[in-house]
Amino acid sequence: MTHKKSNKKQPEPATRAGKGANGPQTRRERVASKEDAIVSAATEMFMARGFAKTTISDIAGKASVAEGTVYLYFANKDALAHAVLAAFYRGLTQKAQAGVVKFETTSDRLAFLARHHLDSIIKNRTILELITITDRDAQSYKGSDLYKMNREYVAVFDGVVREGVWRGEIDDKISLWIFRDIFFGGLEYAMRTILINNRRKDIDQVVSELVQMVTLPTAEQGKAAASISASSSDISKIAARMEKAATRLEEIVADRSANKK
Amino acid sequence: MTHKKSNKKQPEPATRAGKGANGPQTRRERVASKEDAIVSAATEMFMARGFAKTTISDIAGKASVAEGTVYLYFANKDALAHAVLAAFYRGLTQKAQAGVVKFETTSDRLAFLARHHLDSIIKNRTILELITITDRDAQSYKGSDLYKMNREYVAVFDGVVREGVWRGEIDDKISLWIFRDIFFGGLEYAMRTILINNRRKDIDQVVSELVQMVTLPTAEQGKAAASISASSSDISKIAARMEKAATRLEEIVADRSANKK
DNA sequence: TTTCAATCATGAATGATATTCATTATTTCT
DNA sequence: AGAAATAATGAATATCATTCATGATTGAAA
């Protein structure tokens, strides 16, 4: 029992790491790349089989390390889920930030964010599950890493909405946090419906109707509506938008005359 | 009572209590009450500790049966979660159906449904988790029991919305399923926010703003807007003019803040 | 009442996994 | 090179979900 023939299997980490032009790496680099390998393997397995059905042994195998090694890098399976989620959030936030600046109107920006979110969660739906697994209780969630990552991500949305309200393209009677929950909650549920019915082509429709629901009509749309049916609701929404614009105008004028003095 | 055998199920609501002074019961009654005891115990434990941290031994202990006995009634832990969810859905649907008929306008009905849903999921948030656990893959979900129960529940909402559209109280440009996903998805996300910040008192606000967002303005509000207008074509002209003014204004403002830097 | 086949119940055994830990290998430093 | 530090390993352990051989209970026929 104490005696060990051992060396039955000798994975060759040195050869692996040192291969190719990269050649020698520092210990820290090797360690970091091993950590990456484990996270990548975990991501793949979670996506393929889901969290519950993925074993540590699966992950270790795919990452070419021993089971015990996984625990050198991550305290437990939950911590691995956390790391996978963190990587997912990073990409999500980065793409959202990079993309949103390409659009001018609030509607276009929201449509971009909605499509980006919906595409991402459809493609990575099993990663979303991990949120439920890692966020054990609502109390400790606030202040957690995950919370911070989420705040960073939704900050992009918040910025668009704040400017939209300021421009009068969004109704200022709805509070921002409720707006946000409706937007992202609606998208998550739409994802489920789309997957259940296996109708990816409904993505466009969801994006367009969601954006339509949360933004005020523009004059162009209002005109069309007026010519068809003179819908009083559209008119009153347009009136709200115009009212907003007038207020802004007044502020600016007041500002100007104040400066002139 | 000679043909007991032919009756597959014999619910006996009169002698529900079971234990204590109630001596004689039929075998079937005892079996049914044991099943109830197991489901109740499971519900309690899942709510207290969550699915993952609840062991079959916990449940068996609380229901005063042996571990093996649980498996006489339920195929596995997932099936138990399913039974708990089914009971939850039954109550949810029943209350929704009973409550909604007490309200007249679409807004009031939706407000009732929103509040009922939000209250229920806040109180039973851990039960909601079970959906993720039991619905293993999107494909097989359709056609499952759970799917049917969900359809029954949302049918109440669907009915209200259909009538609302017919009455002109809801915009018919948004498709019903997207409407539904925004409504329930928004509520679920709002639940999370409310729990994270521990602000139950925000429930009223969520309900009112959600309903406001998904319904058209009332006749009162519409009338105010409409009273401005002599004709719809005038309105659209004014709107176009205002829109141009707003755009000009935005340019000026953008210009300014650029100069300030 | 007695008896027995059908049910129901039990909890120890099994198997699958997450996690730990004693041991071995590798790297860095002197 | 040799020692200390660091990293890696995989067998051992602990915790459950689930199974199963065995025993108890029940209803009703005799």
Side-chain angles (χ1 to χ4, degrees):
Chain A
M1 176 179 201
T2 46
H3 188 82
K4 219 174 110 185
K5 292 265 153 102
S6 80
N7 291 350
K8 295 174 95 175
K9 229 190 195 171
Q10 182 78 16
E12 303 145 60
T15 322
R16 247 173 73 76
K19 204 126 195 187
N22 296 23
Q25 297 169 295
T26 68
R27 180 195 287 246
R28 183 163 291 115
E29 278 168 335
R30 258 175 280 118
V31 162
S33 86
K34 192 157 284 188
E35 184 172 314
D36 284 353
I38 293 171
V39 173
S40 299
T43 305
E44 276 184 61
M45 297 306 289
F46 288 160
M47 280 180 54
R49 295 212 237 288
F51 182 80
K53 286 196 186 151
T54 298
T55 69
I56 296 294
S57 154
D58 287 339
I59 294 167
K62 179 151 283 223
S64 305
V65 298
E67 291 181 45
T69 305
V70 173
Y71 288 89
L72 291 178
Y73 292 87
F74 300 95
N76 51 37
K77 207 179 163 191
D78 278 21
L80 249 177
H82 186 100
V84 169
L85 257 175
F88 175 67
Y89 261 121
R90 264 195 298 282
L92 204 63
T93 303
Q94 196 273 322
K95 282 198 194 108
Q97 286 168 339
V100 79
V101 298
K102 295 182 189 156
F103 299 90
E104 196 42 49
T105 72
T106 299
S107 288
D108 287 346
R109 288 175 184 171
L110 289 179
F112 164 75
L113 289 179
R115 173 180 302 280
H116 169 239
H117 190 77
L118 196 47
D119 283 346
S120 301
I121 65 181
I122 284 178
K123 185 182 276 190
N124 304 285
R125 71 204 88 114
T126 48
I127 289 184
L128 261 204
E129 268 181 34
L130 300 179
I131 292 178
T132 318
I133 287 154
T134 49
D135 108 37
R136 285 276 160 247
D137 64 308
Q139 248 36 41
S140 66
Y141 178 66
K142 200 165 184 174
S144 70
D145 266 12
L146 219 55
Y147 181 72
K148 270 175 222 137
M149 292 188 297
N150 183 63
R151 296 302 292 188
E152 264 180 60
Y153 176 51
V154 300
V156 183
F157 172 85
D158 288 0
V160 169
V161 171
R162 278 208 197 85
E163 180 161 352
V165 168
W166 186 83
R167 290 183 184 183
E169 295 177 85
I170 287 182
D171 187 352
D172 65 351
K173 286 194 291 299
I174 311 291
S175 25
L176 178 54
W177 72 272
I178 293 177
F179 222 96
R180 193 196 300 134
D181 286 342
I182 289 174
F183 189 84
F184 289 104
L187 287 173
E188 190 169 323
Y189 267 53
M191 171 203 74
R192 288 192 203 172
T193 305
I194 287 170
L195 289 176
I196 287 167
N197 298 316
N198 196 24
R199 289 175 58 95
R200 312 290 165 109
K201 59 179 172 175
D202 288 345
I203 291 176
D204 282 345
Q205 192 191 347
V206 170
V207 169
S208 118
E209 296 190 8
L210 177 60
V211 170
Q212 181 179 338
M213 178 169 276
V214 302
T215 53
L216 295 169
T218 65
E220 289 309 304
Q221 292 167 332
K223 215 193 292 180
S227 70
I228 297 166
S229 65
S231 150
S232 66
S233 81
D234 282 344
I235 288 172
S236 75
K237 281 183 189 164
I238 291 171
R241 178 164 141 85
M242 293 305 121
E243 191 57 39
K244 193 83 195 162
T247 304
R248 245 189 300 148
L249 181 58
E250 280 159 13
E251 281 167 5
I252 286 170
V253 170
D255 213 39
R256 258 199 190 184
S257 47
N259 283 344
K260 272 198 176 171
K261 285 186 182 175
Chain B
M1 288 288 181
T2 47
H3 303 296
K4 262 189 185 172
K5 212 173 174 184
S6 60
N7 282 343
K8 186 85 193 188
K9 252 185 190 165
Q10 184 81 14
E12 197 86 15
T15 50
R16 177 163 160 38
K19 278 206 167 149
N22 294 20
Q25 298 170 297
T26 68
R27 180 196 287 246
R28 188 163 290 113
E29 280 167 335
R30 259 176 279 116
V31 163
S33 85
K34 193 157 283 189
E35 185 172 314
D36 285 353
I38 292 170
V39 173
S40 300
T43 305
E44 276 184 61
M45 297 305 289
F46 288 160
M47 281 179 55
R49 295 211 238 285
F51 182 80
K53 287 197 186 150
T54 297
T55 68
I56 296 292
S57 155
D58 288 339
I59 293 168
K62 178 151 282 221
S64 305
V65 298
E67 291 180 45
T69 305
V70 173
Y71 288 88
L72 291 178
Y73 293 86
F74 299 95
N76 50 38
K77 206 179 164 190
D78 278 20
L80 249 176
H82 186 99
V84 169
L85 257 176
F88 175 67
Y89 261 121
R90 265 195 297 281
L92 204 64
T93 303
Q94 195 274 322
K95 281 197 196 111
Q97 287 168 338
V100 79
V101 297
K102 295 181 190 156
F103 299 90
E104 195 43 46
T105 70
T106 299
S107 288
D108 287 346
R109 288 175 183 170
L110 288 179
F112 164 76
L113 288 179
R115 173 180 302 280
H116 169 239
H117 190 77
L118 197 46
D119 283 346
S120 301
I121 63 180
I122 284 177
K123 186 182 276 189
N124 304 285
R125 73 205 87 117
T126 49
I127 289 185
L128 261 205
E129 268 181 34
L130 299 179
I131 292 179
T132 317
I133 287 153
T134 49
D135 109 36
R136 286 276 163 246
D137 65 308
Q139 249 34 41
S140 66
Y141 177 66
K142 201 166 183 173
S144 70
D145 267 12
L146 219 55
Y147 181 72
K148 271 176 222 136
M149 293 188 296
N150 184 63
R151 296 301 291 188
E152 265 180 60
Y153 175 51
V154 300
V156 183
F157 171 85
D158 288 0
V160 170
V161 172
R162 279 207 198 85
E163 181 162 352
V165 168
W166 186 84
R167 290 183 184 183
E169 295 177 83
I170 286 182
D171 186 352
D172 65 352
K173 285 192 292 298
I174 311 290
S175 24
L176 178 52
W177 72 273
I178 293 177
F179 221 95
R180 193 196 301 135
D181 286 342
I182 289 174
F183 189 84
F184 289 105
L187 287 173
E188 190 169 321
Y189 268 53
M191 171 203 74
R192 289 192 203 171
T193 305
I194 287 171
L195 289 176
I196 287 167
N197 299 315
N198 197 24
R199 289 175 58 97
R200 313 289 164 110
K201 59 179 172 174
D202 287 346
I203 291 176
D204 282 345
Q205 193 191 346
V206 171
V207 169
S208 117
E209 297 190 8
L210 177 61
V211 170
Q212 180 179 336
M213 178 167 277
V214 301
T215 54
L216 295 169
T218 65
E220 291 309 304
Q221 294 165 326
K223 213 191 295 177
S227 71
I228 300 166
S229 70
S231 76
S232 60
S233 75
D234 283 345
I235 286 288
S236 75
K237 277 183 203 158
I238 292 168
R241 190 160 114 82
M242 291 290 280
E243 185 63 28
K244 269 186 205 151
T247 304
R248 246 184 299 145
L249 182 57
E250 277 158 12
E251 282 165 6
I252 289 171
V253 171
D255 217 35
R256 246 193 201 200
S257 48
N259 283 344
K260 269 198 178 173
K261 287 193 176 172

